[in-house]
Amino acid sequence: MSYVAHDETDFARPAEIEEMELYHPKTFIGKYIWSQDAKVIGVQYSITAIAVGLVALVLSGLMRLQLGFPHTFSFINPSNYLQFVTMHGMIMVVYLLTALFLGGFGNYLIPLMIGARDMVFPYVNMISYWIYLFAVLLLMASFFVPGGSTGAGWTMYPPQAILDGTPGAQWGIILMLVSLAFFIIGFTMGGLNYVVTVLQARTRGMTMMRLPLTIWGIFMATVLALLAFPALFVSCIMMTLDQALGTSFFLPALVSKGQLLDHNGGSPVLFQHLFWFFGHPEVYIVALPAFGIVSDLISVHARKNIFGYRMMVWAILIIGGLSFVVWAHHMYVSGMNPYFGFFFATTTLIIAVPTALKVYNWVLTLWRGDIHFTVPMLFAIGFIFTFVNGGLTGLFLGNVPIDIPLSKTMFVVAHFHMVMAVSPVLVVFGAIYHWYPKVTGRMLNDSMGKFHFWVTFIGSYAIYYPMHYLGFLGVPRRYYAVENIDFIPQSAHSLNVAITVAALIVGAVQVVFLYNLVWSYFKGKPSGDNPWQATTMEWQTAHTPPTHGNFGKELPVVYRWAYDYSVPGAQTDFIPQNQPPSKSTGGNEAKSQ
Amino acid sequence: MTTVLLVLVTIMATVVWWLFRQTINVKPWVERRPGSELQGDVAFSLPSVKVGLWVFLAVATSLFALLISAYYMRMAGADWTTLAVPQGLWLNTGALILSSVAMQWTRVSARRGQINGVRSGLIAAGVFTFCFLAGQLWVWQQLSASGYFAAANPANAFFYLLTALHGLHILGGLWVWVRTTAKVARGAEVGAVRLSVELCTTYWHYLLLVWLVLFTLLLTTPPRQNSCSPDNFAVCGPTR
C-alpha cells in the first residue's frame, strides 16, 4: 500500500526536510554501473560480496577434503592448505560478512527504512563501492602472484607472516595487507554515509526510537567499525613497512634459516593487541546487524510487536560499548598478567548479559505469536538456535583456565563458526528471502527456499556439533594432517570423514539457493508492494522495486513505531508506520499493547 | 592501549549520551503525531556535511590514538632510542600554526561576507600549508641523508609513519582547499563558499592539534624506559 494523502489539516504536513538534489542518470551505465543510487550500490555490494564468498566456500570445501581424506589429493600440499585456511577466514569475515551486512543491506535498507531519498553523500557512496571492488580484486590477485596467497592465518600474526617458510611471505602478504587497507578506506567512506544518513536524513516523525531494529543494528555496527577498523589499518601499514622497508615494529631479533635477520626489538604482541582491538569489535560488527535483522524478521513473521524494544536498543548500545574492552580474551595464550586476564574474562562474561537479554526478547516475541513459518522466519528461528549454541561455548572460552587448553583445538573452530559464521549467514539468507521481493518485485521460490533452509541448518549442526567433541579430544586446529598421535583415536578420523561429507553437501546445496535467486528473478511469483504485510517504510513505497528517489513526489510522514502488529481493535493485523492515527485504532493516543 | 581506550571511552560516551537523550522516557509504541516530538527528536540543525566531518574526525582521532598507543607500547622495547628531533620541525610547526590562523581569518571574513578577505585568507592558508608539507619532506630528506631512514631505529620508523599519515590527511584537506579556492577564483559569492570555508577551518584546526600532540610526543619521550617491569607484562610477554 502506498502512503496516505495528507490533505486533512489534522494530519501533519509533508516533510519539512529540505529536498536533496538527486542526480539523474541518463544512460544504462550511469544507472546500473557508475550509479550513485544507494539501492543500486547495495545490490552491487551484495553481488560482489556473495561472489567472493563463493570463492571462500570452495576453499573451505578443499580444506575439508584434506581433513577428511588426508593423502588422497595430490593438489593439496601443506602450503596450499594453510593458504586455503587463511583466505577462507579473511574473505568470510571481512570481504563477505562485513561488506554484505553494512555495504549491502546498509545501503539498500537505510534510506528506505528511514524514509529518505538516498544517502546523504551519494558520490562518496559510489566511490566506496569501487574501492571495495578494487580491494577484492587485489585480494584475488594474490592467488596468482609468485608464492601464492599468504598462508599466515587470517590473524596474520608476525613474525611468521612475513618470514620465509610461510607461504606467500613475499607477495601474498603484501597484497593482503594493501587490500585490507583499501577495504578500510572504502569502508570508512561508506560508513560515514550510513551514520550521517541515519542521524540527518530521517523523514518527519521518524524519531530515533521509531527506527526499526535493523537500522539500529546497522547504525551501531557502523559506529563500531569506524572506530575499530583504524586499528587494523595501522597494523596493516606497520607490517607492510616491516616487510618492505625492514623496520622493526613487530619483528624481534630472530634467526631465520640460520641467518640473523636485520630486525631488532619489535613486539609481536603489539600486533596482537592492535589486531584484536579491531578483531573483537569485528565480531559485533557482523553480529549487531544480524541481531537487528532477526528482530525485525521475527516480529513481522510472528505478527507481534517486538518484546522490549527499548531494552533491545539499549542492549545493542551496551554490547557495542563493551565490545571494545574484551579484545585480550583472544590473547590469553600470548601470556599476560593474571590481573589482565581476570579483567578481560570478567568483561567477556558481562557481555553475555545484554546478549542473553536479546535472546530472551526474541523468544518472548515468538511466545503466543501468530507464527508464519515462512522461509525468512525459519532462518530467523534457526539463527536463535545456532547463536545460543555458539554463545554458550563462548562463555566456556571466555574463562582463562578453560581457554588455555582448548585454544589450539577444533573446539575454538566449532565455537566461532557456530556463533560468527553459521549464525550471521543464516540471517543473511533470511534477510535475502525477506527483502528479495522488494529488490526485484518477485518472490523467491518457497519449496527451494525450505529445502535450502533445512539442509543448511541441519547440515551446519552436522558439521560443527561433532567438532566440539573433536576439540575436547584435543584434535588441534590448523594442522594439515593429524596422524600417529596417541591421544587421538581412530573414531576421530571417522568423525572427520562424516564432517567432510556434511560440509560438502551443505556447500553443494548453496547452488540451489543461487539457482533460486536467478530463476525467481525471471519466473518468480510477482510479489506486490508488501507481500509480508510489514509496517516498515521500505514496504510502503509507491513502486516495487522502488524507483530512484524511493518515495515518489513527497516524502512520507511517520506516525508510529515499526512494530504495530496485531493491534487490538485495528482493522488489519498491521499498521504501516506512515498511517495517520485514526479512530480505527481506538483513538489518537491509543496504546498498542 | 590506555590512550586509545581513553579516546574511545570519550567518543562512545558522547554517542551514548546523545542517544540517551534521544531514548530515555520515550515510549515509541504510543502514537504521536509529528510536531509533538520531544526535544532532540529531529536531526541536528547542522548541515549534513558538518556532521559528516565531525564523524570523520572521530575516526581520525581513533587512528592517531591507536598510533600513539602503539608508540608507547613499542617504547617499552629494549632497543628503544630517542629520536634526535630535527630542528626544522620547529619551523614547520610555525608554518602549520600560521596556516591555521589564516584559515580562521578566512572564516571570520566569510562570516562578515568579505570576499576579498576570504580570497587572501585562503591563499595564505594554502601557501603556509604547502610550506609545512615541503618542510616535512625536507626534514625527511635530512634524516635519511644523515643515515636515519625508517629502518634505522624504531623511533625513526614511528617518526616517518606518523608524519606520513598526518601529511596524507593534510593532502586530503588541501584537495577541498583547491576546490574552494578555484570556486572563489572563478568569482563565487561568499555564500557559496562559506560552508566549505568553515569545514576547512575546522579540519585545519584539528590537524594542527594532532600535529601539536605528535610533536610534543616526539619531544618529550624519555630516552629509555626500564625494559620490562611487571606492569607492562602484557606488552613484554612472559619470556623476557
Side-chain angles (χ1 to χ4, degrees):
Chain A
M1 110 181 249
S2 74
Y3 57 88
V4 183
H6 313 288
D7 47 356
E8 293 173 63
T9 47
D10 188 33
F11 299 144
R13 294 275 116 215
E16 285 165 10
I17 297 169
E18 56 179 306
E19 280 290 323
M20 61 185 295
E21 248 179 66
L22 290 171
Y23 94 116
H24 293 286
K26 303 220 166 49
T27 58
F28 175 84
I29 290 180
K31 215 168 173 180
Y32 295 108
I33 300 185
W34 301 106
S35 175
Q36 298 184 22
D37 183 340
K39 295 189 292 298
V40 179
I41 297 173
V43 174
Q44 288 174 328
Y45 254 114
S46 306
I47 291 175
T48 314
I50 290 174
V52 74
L54 285 175
V55 175
L57 183 72
V58 171
L59 292 177
S60 70
L62 292 172
M63 278 150 60
R64 275 319 315 178
L65 279 178
Q66 169 59 31
L67 288 177
F69 310 98
H71 303 306
T72 317
F73 302 97
S74 57
F75 58 91
I76 308 177
N77 62 35
S79 293
N80 293 147
Y81 178 75
L82 290 176
Q83 289 169 327
F84 298 161
V85 174
T86 307
M87 296 301 273
H88 167 78
M90 189 58 100
I91 291 176
M92 286 296 193
V93 171
V94 175
Y95 295 85
L96 170 67
L97 284 173
T98 309
L100 187 55
F101 270 123
L102 301 179
F105 292 133
N107 266 312
Y108 200 89
L109 294 176
I110 289 175
L112 277 167
M113 282 184 131
I114 65 172
R117 296 219 181 276
D118 205 335
M119 289 285 179
V120 288
F121 312 124
Y123 183 76
V124 181
N125 209 17
M126 176 183 79
I127 306 278
S128 154
Y129 168 72
W130 291 101
I131 296 183
Y132 164 65
L133 183 65
F134 180 64
V136 167
L137 293 177
L138 270 184
L139 190 72
M140 292 298 111
S142 79
F143 283 114
F144 304 104
V145 294
S149 58
T150 175
W154 86 280
T155 50
M156 307 180 297
Y157 279 3
Q160 46 91 8
I162 55 177
L163 289 186
D164 273 351
T166 307
Q170 289 298 321
W171 289 99
I173 187 72
I174 292 285
L175 277 176
M176 165 79 87
L177 295 170
V178 173
S179 164
L180 281 171
F182 274 105
F183 178 90
I184 294 163
I185 294 171
F187 173 78
T188 306
M189 293 179 165
L192 285 176
N193 250 310
Y194 315 149
V195 169
V196 179
T197 304
V198 172
L199 290 177
Q200 294 291 104
R202 282 167 287 132
T203 190
R204 243 189 120 208
M206 181 63 88
T207 61
M208 289 302 277
M209 286 308 265
R210 279 177 180 170
L211 290 176
L213 287 168
T214 300
I215 300 298
W216 270 109
I218 293 175
F219 174 72
M220 200 59 197
T222 310
V223 171
L224 294 188
L226 285 174
L227 297 177
F229 267 122
L232 184 63
F233 186 76
V234 168
S235 43
C236 282
I237 290 185
M238 284 159 74
M239 188 143 61
T240 312
L241 292 177
D242 274 4
Q243 210 274 1
L245 292 185
T247 54
S248 304
F249 289 112
F250 301 133
L251 287 204
L254 43 79
V255 176
S256 169
K257 292 186 176 169
Q259 297 256 306
L260 184 63
L261 299 185
D262 285 339
H263 302 284
N264 189 23
S267 162
V269 182
L270 171 59
F271 176 86
Q272 297 185 19
H273 277 296
L274 288 173
F275 182 84
W276 288 114
F277 194 79
F278 143 79
H280 195 80
E282 170 65 26
V283 175
Y284 292 97
I285 292 165
V286 172
L288 289 181
F291 291 170
I293 290 171
V294 158
S295 311
D296 280 357
L297 294 189
I298 286 178
S299 176
V300 173
H301 295 276
R303 316 307 297 165
K304 236 182 111 189
N305 62 325
I306 192 78
F307 187 93
Y309 175 84
R310 277 195 299 195
M311 208 194 295
M312 293 299 247
V313 171
W314 276 96
I316 287 177
L317 296 180
I318 293 168
I319 292 173
L322 282 177
S323 71
F324 276 109
V325 286
V326 297
W327 80 89
H329 68 213
H330 297 271
M331 299 163 52
Y332 291 151
V333 286
S334 303
M336 65 171 68
N337 187 319
Y339 289 108
F340 276 26
F342 178 73
F343 172 79
F344 284 108
T346 312
T347 50
T348 305
L349 299 186
I350 289 176
I351 216 168
V353 175
T355 319
L357 275 180
K358 296 191 79 72
V359 174
Y360 288 126
N361 284 354
W362 291 322
V363 177
L364 284 166
T365 306
L366 287 172
W367 178 252
R368 307 183 82 175
D370 174 12
I371 300 177
H372 295 41
F373 286 104
T374 55
V375 181
M377 185 60 152
L378 289 175
F379 276 106
I381 296 176
F383 162 85
I384 299 181
F385 280 95
T386 57
F387 183 71
V388 167
N389 224 301
L392 287 176
T393 49
L395 289 179
F396 290 25
L397 293 173
N399 289 292
V400 189
I402 306 176
D403 179 79
I404 286 176
L406 285 177
S407 160
K408 298 251 159 69
T409 69
M410 281 294 188
F411 189 85
V412 171
V413 179
H415 156 71
F416 81 73
H417 275 89
M418 215 64 189
V419 79
M420 201 186 157
V422 176
S423 300
V425 167
L426 289 181
V427 178
V428 164
F429 287 139
I432 291 177
Y433 282 96
H434 185 77
W435 278 296
Y436 187 84
K438 185 46 65 175
V439 181
T440 62
R442 290 178 187 271
M443 306 293 283
L444 281 168
N445 181 290
D446 210 46
S447 317
M448 279 195 263
K450 285 191 169 141
F451 175 72
H452 175 219
F453 167 74
W454 285 110
V455 177
T456 307
F457 179 66
I458 296 175
S460 308
Y461 265 95
I463 299 168
Y464 297 112
Y465 220 69
M467 224 181 255
H468 291 93
Y469 176 68
L470 288 182
F472 280 135
L473 284 179
V475 177
R477 59 189 172 125
R478 303 188 186 116
Y479 278 36
Y480 169 66
V482 182
E483 290 161 315
N484 304 326
I485 300 177
D486 288 341
F487 64 82
I488 298 175
Q490 187 56 37
S491 59
H493 295 294
S494 318
L495 205 52
N496 254 331
V497 175
I499 292 175
T500 298
V501 171
L504 294 178
I505 292 174
V506 171
V509 163
Q510 306 313 313
V511 175
V512 176
F513 170 66
L514 293 177
Y515 177 73
N516 196 356
L517 287 182
V518 178
W519 183 85
S520 303
Y521 185 76
F522 298 105
K523 301 214 172 137
K525 198 173 66 169
S527 64
D529 283 338
N530 192 353
W532 310 115
Q533 304 206 311
T535 60
T536 40
M537 292 310 299
E538 81 273 25
W539 301 104
Q540 323 303 332
T541 55
H543 303 277
T544 300
T547 48
H548 191 50
N550 293 351
F551 289 102
K553 276 190 184 146
E554 275 174 8
L555 280 174
V557 179
V558 166
Y559 293 91
R560 58 190 76 240
W561 71 336
Y563 298 98
D564 269 346
Y565 292 103
S566 306
V567 178
Q571 282 162 353
T572 51
D573 75 340
F574 73 107
I575 311 176
Q577 282 192 278
N578 59 348
Q579 180 168 314
S582 69
K583 292 180 181 74
S584 66
T585 58
N588 193 9
E589 297 282 289
K591 282 202 172 185
S592 58
Q593 40 165 224
Chain B
M1 298 304 270
T2 325
T3 323
V4 72
L5 274 183
L6 279 177
V7 168
L8 281 175
V9 165
T10 321
I11 294 174
M12 289 304 281
T14 321
V15 172
V16 170
W17 168 79
W18 182 78
L19 289 172
F20 190 73
R21 280 189 45 200
Q22 296 278 303
T23 53
I24 195 73
N25 283 335
V26 178
K27 295 192 180 70
W29 48 88
V30 179
E31 276 179 13
R32 277 186 295 116
R33 75 189 49 160
S36 62
E37 287 101 344
L38 302 173
Q39 59 149 4
D41 263 355
V42 279
F44 291 108
S45 48
L46 296 169
S48 296
V49 261
K50 268 198 184 172
V51 180
L53 178 66
W54 281 104
V55 176
F56 177 73
L57 293 188
V59 178
T61 308
S62 170
L63 177 78
F64 284 109
L66 280 157
L67 283 167
I68 293 170
S69 287
Y71 186 74
Y72 273 118
M73 285 169 74
R74 182 65 180 80
M75 214 188 280
D79 65 330
W80 186 264
T81 44
T82 321
L83 176 77
V85 179
Q87 294 306 306
L89 285 183
W90 287 101
L91 268 180
N92 296 349
T93 310
L96 196 61
I97 292 175
L98 285 177
S99 76
S100 208
V101 170
M103 267 299 174
Q104 182 64 30
W105 185 45
T106 318
R107 172 150 125 183
V108 172
S109 310
R111 281 220 182 122
R112 291 190 187 143
Q114 300 158 339
I115 191 72
N116 289 332
V118 172
R119 190 179 299 128
S120 41
L122 273 176
I123 291 170
V127 168
F128 285 126
T129 314
F130 275 114
C131 284
F132 172 78
L133 284 180
Q136 295 287 78
L137 285 176
W138 171 61
V139 168
W140 275 22
Q141 276 191 334
Q142 268 193 325
L143 272 178
S144 69
S146 50
Y148 291 106
F149 194 54
N153 65 53
N156 273 86
F158 266 104
F159 174 75
Y160 277 98
L161 179 63
L162 293 171
T163 46
L165 281 175
H166 181 257
L168 282 177
H169 278 79
I170 285 195
L171 275 182
L174 277 176
W175 183 62
V176 181
W177 171 84
V178 165
R179 286 170 47 129
T180 316
T181 316
K183 258 194 216 166
V184 174
R186 271 187 260 117
E189 298 282 313
V190 178
V193 293
R194 185 178 290 140
L195 185 58
S196 311
V197 167
E198 284 185 9
L199 294 174
C200 279
T201 313
T202 313
Y203 192 61
W204 252 254
H205 291 344
Y206 171 78
L207 284 181
L208 174 64
L209 184 73
V210 169
W211 173 249
L212 291 178
V213 170
L214 295 180
F215 192 39
T216 319
L217 198 69
L218 294 173
L219 284 179
T220 55
T221 47
R224 167 105 169 252
Q225 293 194 333
N226 291 336
S227 16
C228 272
S229 66
D231 290 340
N232 46 31
F233 196 66
V235 180
C236 307
T239 48
R240 279 195 246 151

